[in-house]
Amino acid sequence: MVGPVRPQFVLFGSSIVQLSFSNGGWGAILSDIYARKADVILRGYYGWNSTRAVQFLNEVFPKDAAIQPSLVIVYFGGNDSMGAHPSGLGPHVPLPEYIENMRKIIVHLKSLSDSIRIIALTCPPVDEDRIRETRSKFLSELVRTNELCGMYSEACIKLCEELDVKVVDLFTALQKGDDWKTCFTDGIHLSAEGSKIVVEEILKVIKSAEWKPSLHWKSMQTEFSEDSPYDLVAADGKTTLNPSEWTIHREIQWD
Protein backbone atom coordinates (compact mmCIF):
# COMPACT_ATOMS: atom_id res chain seq x y z
CA MET A 1 0.00 0.00 0.00
CA VAL A 2 1.03 3.59 -0.48
CA GLY A 3 2.75 5.16 2.51
CA PRO A 4 3.15 6.60 4.99
CA VAL A 5 0.61 4.46 6.80
CA ARG A 6 -2.19 6.55 8.28
CA PRO A 7 -5.06 5.60 10.60
CA GLN A 8 -7.87 4.05 8.60
CA PHE A 9 -11.48 5.21 8.94
CA VAL A 10 -13.78 2.71 7.21
CA LEU A 11 -17.33 3.62 6.18
CA PHE A 12 -19.34 0.37 6.02
CA GLY A 13 -22.95 0.15 4.98
CA SER A 14 -25.53 0.27 2.21
CA SER A 15 -26.28 2.98 -0.36
CA ILE A 16 -26.19 5.82 2.19
CA VAL A 17 -22.51 4.83 2.49
CA GLN A 18 -21.78 3.93 -1.14
CA LEU A 19 -23.10 7.31 -2.31
CA SER A 20 -21.35 9.26 0.44
CA PHE A 21 -18.74 10.59 -1.99
CA SER A 22 -21.44 11.81 -4.42
CA ASN A 23 -23.42 15.06 -4.44
CA GLY A 24 -21.28 16.76 -1.77
CA GLY A 25 -21.62 13.62 0.35
CA TRP A 26 -20.64 13.11 3.96
CA GLY A 27 -17.87 10.64 3.13
CA ALA A 28 -16.20 13.14 0.84
CA ILE A 29 -16.50 15.85 3.49
CA LEU A 30 -14.91 13.60 6.11
CA SER A 31 -12.13 12.75 3.67
CA ASP A 32 -11.43 16.46 3.25
CA ILE A 33 -11.54 17.15 6.99
CA TYR A 34 -9.12 14.30 7.68
CA ALA A 35 -6.80 15.06 4.76
CA ARG A 36 -3.18 14.28 5.76
CA LYS A 37 -4.46 12.77 9.01
CA ALA A 38 -6.42 9.58 8.19
CA ASP A 39 -7.46 7.58 5.14
CA VAL A 40 -11.25 7.41 4.75
CA ILE A 41 -12.02 4.09 3.08
CA LEU A 42 -15.37 3.39 1.44
CA ARG A 43 -17.03 0.02 1.84
CA GLY A 44 -20.57 0.85 0.80
CA TYR A 45 -22.87 -1.59 -0.99
CA TYR A 46 -26.02 -0.34 -2.69
CA GLY A 47 -29.08 -2.36 -1.73
CA TRP A 48 -27.51 -4.34 1.11
CA ASN A 49 -29.34 -5.13 4.30
CA SER A 50 -27.84 -6.28 7.60
CA THR A 51 -28.27 -9.96 6.72
CA ARG A 52 -26.14 -9.64 3.61
CA ALA A 53 -23.58 -7.61 5.57
CA VAL A 54 -23.21 -10.45 8.06
CA GLN A 55 -22.70 -12.93 5.21
CA PHE A 56 -19.65 -11.03 3.94
CA LEU A 57 -18.40 -9.63 7.25
CA ASN A 58 -15.23 -11.74 7.34
CA GLU A 59 -14.34 -10.77 3.78
CA VAL A 60 -14.79 -7.04 4.33
CA PHE A 61 -13.11 -7.11 7.75
CA PRO A 62 -10.75 -10.10 7.93
CA LYS A 63 -9.41 -10.75 11.41
CA ASP A 64 -5.93 -11.54 10.09
CA ALA A 65 -5.47 -8.25 8.20
CA ALA A 66 -2.04 -6.70 8.75
CA ILE A 67 -3.61 -3.33 9.56
CA GLN A 68 -6.96 -2.92 11.29
CA PRO A 69 -9.12 0.22 11.14
CA SER A 70 -8.87 2.86 13.82
CA LEU A 71 -12.54 3.74 13.29
CA VAL A 72 -15.48 2.06 11.59
CA ILE A 73 -18.65 4.01 10.91
CA VAL A 74 -21.36 1.44 10.22
CA TYR A 75 -24.84 1.94 8.79
CA PHE A 76 -27.57 -0.57 8.01
CA GLY A 77 -31.29 -0.25 8.56
CA GLY A 78 -32.88 1.67 5.70
CA ASN A 79 -33.31 -1.40 3.51
CA ASP A 80 -34.00 -3.70 6.47
CA SER A 81 -36.89 -1.47 7.54
CA MET A 82 -38.72 -1.68 4.22
CA GLY A 83 -42.03 -3.47 4.37
CA ALA A 84 -42.00 -7.19 3.59
CA HIS A 85 -42.76 -8.16 -0.01
CA PRO A 86 -45.51 -10.79 -0.55
CA SER A 87 -43.07 -12.95 -2.55
CA GLY A 88 -40.70 -13.26 0.38
CA LEU A 89 -38.00 -11.64 -1.75
CA GLY A 90 -36.46 -8.27 -1.15
CA PRO A 91 -34.36 -6.52 1.48
CA HIS A 92 -36.80 -6.53 4.41
CA VAL A 93 -35.35 -7.94 7.64
CA PRO A 94 -37.68 -8.45 10.64
CA LEU A 95 -36.77 -6.18 13.53
CA PRO A 96 -35.53 -8.94 15.92
CA GLU A 97 -33.30 -10.33 13.16
CA TYR A 98 -32.00 -6.85 12.35
CA ILE A 99 -31.02 -6.35 15.98
CA GLU A 100 -29.14 -9.65 16.07
CA ASN A 101 -27.43 -8.89 12.77
CA MET A 102 -26.24 -5.54 14.05
CA ARG A 103 -25.05 -7.24 17.21
CA LYS A 104 -22.99 -9.69 15.14
CA ILE A 105 -21.50 -6.85 13.09
CA ILE A 106 -20.52 -4.81 16.12
CA VAL A 107 -19.12 -7.78 18.03
CA HIS A 108 -17.05 -8.78 15.01
CA LEU A 109 -15.70 -5.25 14.59
CA LYS A 110 -14.80 -5.07 18.27
CA SER A 111 -12.86 -8.32 17.92
CA LEU A 112 -10.53 -6.88 15.25
CA SER A 113 -8.34 -5.01 17.73
CA ASP A 114 -8.36 -3.60 21.24
CA SER A 115 -8.04 -0.05 19.92
CA ILE A 116 -10.76 -0.06 17.25
CA ARG A 117 -13.51 2.53 17.64
CA ILE A 118 -17.04 2.15 16.28
CA ILE A 119 -19.81 4.62 15.48
CA ALA A 120 -23.20 3.32 14.32
CA LEU A 121 -25.56 5.47 12.28
CA THR A 122 -29.25 4.82 12.79
CA CYS A 123 -31.87 4.52 10.11
CA PRO A 124 -32.66 8.03 8.80
CA PRO A 125 -36.19 9.24 8.08
CA VAL A 126 -37.66 9.18 4.58
CA ASP A 127 -39.78 11.61 2.59
CA GLU A 128 -42.75 9.36 1.86
CA ASP A 129 -44.35 11.77 -0.63
CA ARG A 130 -41.16 12.07 -2.66
CA ILE A 131 -40.73 8.29 -2.73
CA ARG A 132 -44.19 7.85 -4.19
CA GLU A 133 -43.51 10.54 -6.81
CA THR A 134 -40.19 9.11 -7.96
CA ARG A 135 -40.91 5.37 -7.85
CA SER A 136 -39.09 3.54 -10.63
CA LYS A 137 -41.13 1.56 -13.13
CA PHE A 138 -38.52 -1.18 -12.85
CA LEU A 139 -39.20 -1.80 -9.14
CA SER A 140 -42.10 -3.33 -7.29
CA GLU A 141 -43.86 -0.92 -4.93
CA LEU A 142 -41.54 0.21 -2.15
CA VAL A 143 -42.98 0.22 1.34
CA ARG A 144 -40.92 2.80 3.20
CA THR A 145 -42.49 4.71 6.06
CA ASN A 146 -41.19 6.98 8.78
CA GLU A 147 -42.93 4.81 11.34
CA LEU A 148 -40.83 1.79 10.31
CA CYS A 149 -37.64 3.89 10.10
CA GLY A 150 -38.26 5.14 13.63
CA MET A 151 -38.66 1.62 15.00
CA TYR A 152 -35.38 0.41 13.50
CA SER A 153 -33.59 3.58 14.55
CA GLU A 154 -34.73 3.18 18.15
CA ALA A 155 -33.65 -0.47 18.15
CA CYS A 156 -30.19 0.48 16.89
CA ILE A 157 -29.79 3.08 19.64
CA LYS A 158 -30.77 0.62 22.37
CA LEU A 159 -28.38 -2.02 21.03
CA CYS A 160 -25.49 0.46 20.91
CA GLU A 161 -26.18 1.50 24.49
CA GLU A 162 -26.12 -2.16 25.50
CA LEU A 163 -22.83 -2.81 23.68
CA ASP A 164 -21.23 0.50 24.74
CA VAL A 165 -20.85 1.75 21.19
CA LYS A 166 -21.23 5.34 20.01
CA VAL A 167 -24.31 6.04 17.93
CA VAL A 168 -25.58 8.90 15.79
CA ASP A 169 -29.36 9.25 15.80
CA LEU A 170 -29.91 10.24 12.17
CA PHE A 171 -33.65 9.74 12.46
CA THR A 172 -33.87 12.65 14.91
CA ALA A 173 -31.00 14.80 13.62
CA LEU A 174 -32.27 14.98 10.05
CA GLN A 175 -35.80 16.00 11.12
CA LYS A 176 -34.86 18.95 13.33
CA GLY A 177 -35.54 21.65 10.74
CA ASP A 178 -38.88 22.60 9.21
CA ASP A 179 -37.34 22.05 5.77
CA TRP A 180 -35.91 18.64 6.64
CA LYS A 181 -37.11 17.07 3.40
CA THR A 182 -34.40 19.01 1.56
CA CYS A 183 -31.96 16.57 3.21
CA PHE A 184 -32.79 14.03 0.48
CA THR A 185 -32.29 13.79 -3.27
CA ASP A 186 -35.06 11.27 -3.86
CA GLY A 187 -36.75 10.94 -0.50
CA ILE A 188 -34.26 8.26 0.63
CA HIS A 189 -30.68 9.18 -0.22
CA LEU A 190 -28.88 12.19 1.18
CA SER A 191 -28.47 15.55 -0.49
CA ALA A 192 -25.52 17.83 0.22
CA GLU A 193 -27.55 19.52 2.96
CA GLY A 194 -28.37 16.19 4.56
CA SER A 195 -24.74 15.12 4.40
CA LYS A 196 -23.63 18.26 6.24
CA ILE A 197 -25.88 17.30 9.14
CA VAL A 198 -24.44 13.77 9.16
CA VAL A 199 -20.88 15.15 9.31
CA GLU A 200 -21.79 17.57 12.09
CA GLU A 201 -23.27 14.75 14.18
CA ILE A 202 -20.32 12.42 13.57
CA LEU A 203 -17.82 15.11 14.55
CA LYS A 204 -19.78 15.82 17.74
CA VAL A 205 -19.47 12.16 18.73
CA ILE A 206 -15.76 11.97 17.89
CA LYS A 207 -14.95 15.21 19.71
CA SER A 208 -16.83 14.26 22.88
CA ALA A 209 -15.59 10.66 22.98
CA GLU A 210 -12.99 9.96 25.64
CA TRP A 211 -10.89 7.92 23.24
CA LYS A 212 -7.14 7.67 23.66
CA PRO A 213 -5.69 8.61 21.32
CA SER A 214 -8.35 11.08 20.24
CA LEU A 215 -9.64 10.69 16.70
CA HIS A 216 -10.88 14.26 16.48
CA TRP A 217 -9.29 15.85 13.46
CA LYS A 218 -7.84 18.80 15.36
CA SER A 219 -6.09 16.43 17.76
CA MET A 220 -4.49 14.20 15.13
CA GLN A 221 -1.05 14.64 13.67
CA THR A 222 -0.83 16.20 10.22
CA GLU A 223 1.44 14.32 7.86
CA PHE A 224 4.63 16.16 6.78
CA SER A 225 3.62 19.30 8.69
CA GLU A 226 7.12 20.61 9.39
CA ASP A 227 8.16 24.03 8.07
CA SER A 228 10.05 23.98 4.78
CA PRO A 229 11.94 26.53 2.69
CA TYR A 230 9.86 25.21 -0.21
CA ASP A 231 6.63 26.51 1.33
CA LEU A 232 4.94 29.61 -0.04
CA VAL A 233 6.91 32.82 0.47
CA ALA A 234 5.36 35.30 2.89
CA ALA A 235 4.69 38.97 2.12
CA ASP A 236 7.92 40.01 3.85
CA GLY A 237 9.85 38.17 1.16
CA LYS A 238 12.09 36.55 3.76
CA THR A 239 10.07 33.76 5.40
CA THR A 240 7.69 31.04 4.30
CA LEU A 241 4.14 30.20 5.31
CA ASN A 242 3.35 26.60 6.25
CA PRO A 243 0.02 25.66 4.58
CA SER A 244 -0.32 22.18 6.08
CA GLU A 245 -3.12 23.21 8.47
CA TRP A 246 -4.95 25.63 6.20
CA THR A 247 -8.72 25.17 5.97
CA ILE A 248 -9.63 28.35 4.11
CA HIS A 249 -10.94 26.36 1.14
CA ARG A 250 -13.77 24.82 3.18
CA GLU A 251 -17.31 26.08 2.84
CA ILE A 252 -17.87 25.21 6.51
CA GLN A 253 -15.20 25.61 9.18
CA TRP A 254 -15.88 22.38 11.03
CA ASP A 255 -15.38 22.12 14.78
Side-chain angles (χ1 to χ4, degrees):
M1 63 181 291
V2 66
V5 176
R6 302 173 181 173
Q8 294 184 353
F9 291 4
V10 180
L11 314 182
F12 178 48
S14 55
S15 56
I16 293 289
V17 174
Q18 181 175 330
L19 302 180
S20 68
F21 276 68
S22 301
N23 303 315
W26 60 276
I29 297 172
L30 286 176
S31 189
D32 174 53
I33 292 172
Y34 281 91
R36 298 174 65 168
K37 297 174 182 287
D39 287 332
V40 178
I41 299 172
L42 192 63
R43 291 295 181 269
Y45 302 93
Y46 212 123
W48 276 28
N49 59 18
S50 62
T51 299
R52 199 163 185 192
V54 169
Q55 290 176 344
F56 294 99
L57 197 52
N58 289 306
E59 294 181 46
V60 180
F61 295 98
K63 289 191 175 185
D64 59 353
I67 299 174
Q68 295 293 358
S70 297
L71 172 67
V72 178
I73 299 177
V74 58
Y75 163 73
F76 291 100
N79 294 320
D80 301 68
S81 65
M82 290 176 61
H85 193 272
S87 67
L89 300 172
H92 169 72
V93 175
L95 186 57
E97 184 179 340
Y98 165 74
I99 295 170
E100 289 310 304
N101 286 341
M102 290 300 293
R103 184 189 304 277
K104 291 175 183 176
I105 292 169
I106 292 170
V107 168
H108 178 84
L109 293 175
K110 281 188 167 186
S111 74
L112 297 178
S113 78
D114 293 335
S115 60
I116 195 169
R117 310 302 182 187
I118 303 165
I119 300 174
L121 308 180
T122 77
C123 188
V126 292
D127 180 351
E128 297 178 26
D129 294 334
R130 185 77 179 275
I131 292 171
R132 283 191 289 268
E133 293 170 2
T134 59
R135 184 171 73 87
S136 170
K137 64 180 180 180
F138 300 106
L139 294 173
S140 181
E141 183 178 0
L142 301 177
V143 180
R144 291 184 183 264
T145 69
N146 257 350
E147 181 181 5
L148 288 170
C149 291
M151 292 169 57
Y152 282 68
S153 175
E154 184 179 350
C156 182
I157 292 171
K158 289 181 178 178
L159 177 65
C160 289
E161 291 173 348
E162 176 190 337
L163 299 178
D164 193 25
V165 166
K166 303 295 184 183
V167 62
V168 172
D169 180 1
L170 291 186
F171 186 78
T172 299
L174 290 170
Q175 293 188 86
K176 285 183 178 178
D178 293 336
D179 58 347
W180 67 270
K181 293 184 178 182
T182 61
C183 291
F184 303 97
T185 59
D186 56 3
I188 300 169
H189 300 102
L190 296 170
S191 65
E193 290 306 310
S195 281
K196 290 173 187 175
I197 295 173
V198 175
V199 171
E200 182 180 8
E201 295 300 317
I202 289 173
L203 290 180
K204 283 180 185 177
V205 168
I206 294 176
K207 185 175 183 180
S208 63
E210 296 179 355
W211 293 336
K212 294 182 181 180
S214 172
L215 297 180
H216 187 252
W217 68 277
K218 290 183 179 179
S219 301
M220 297 180 69
Q221 182 178 354
T222 299
E223 192 172 275
F224 301 130
S225 60
E226 64 276 1
D227 293 338
S228 168
Y230 302 110
D231 285 336
L232 299 170
V233 180
D236 62 13
K238 300 177 181 179
T239 58
T240 56
L241 297 176
N242 187 332
S244 61
E245 303 286 354
W246 288 1
T247 62
I248 55 176
H249 66 283
R250 291 178 184 161
E251 176 187 2
I252 298 174
Q253 292 301 305
W254 300 98
D255 189 15

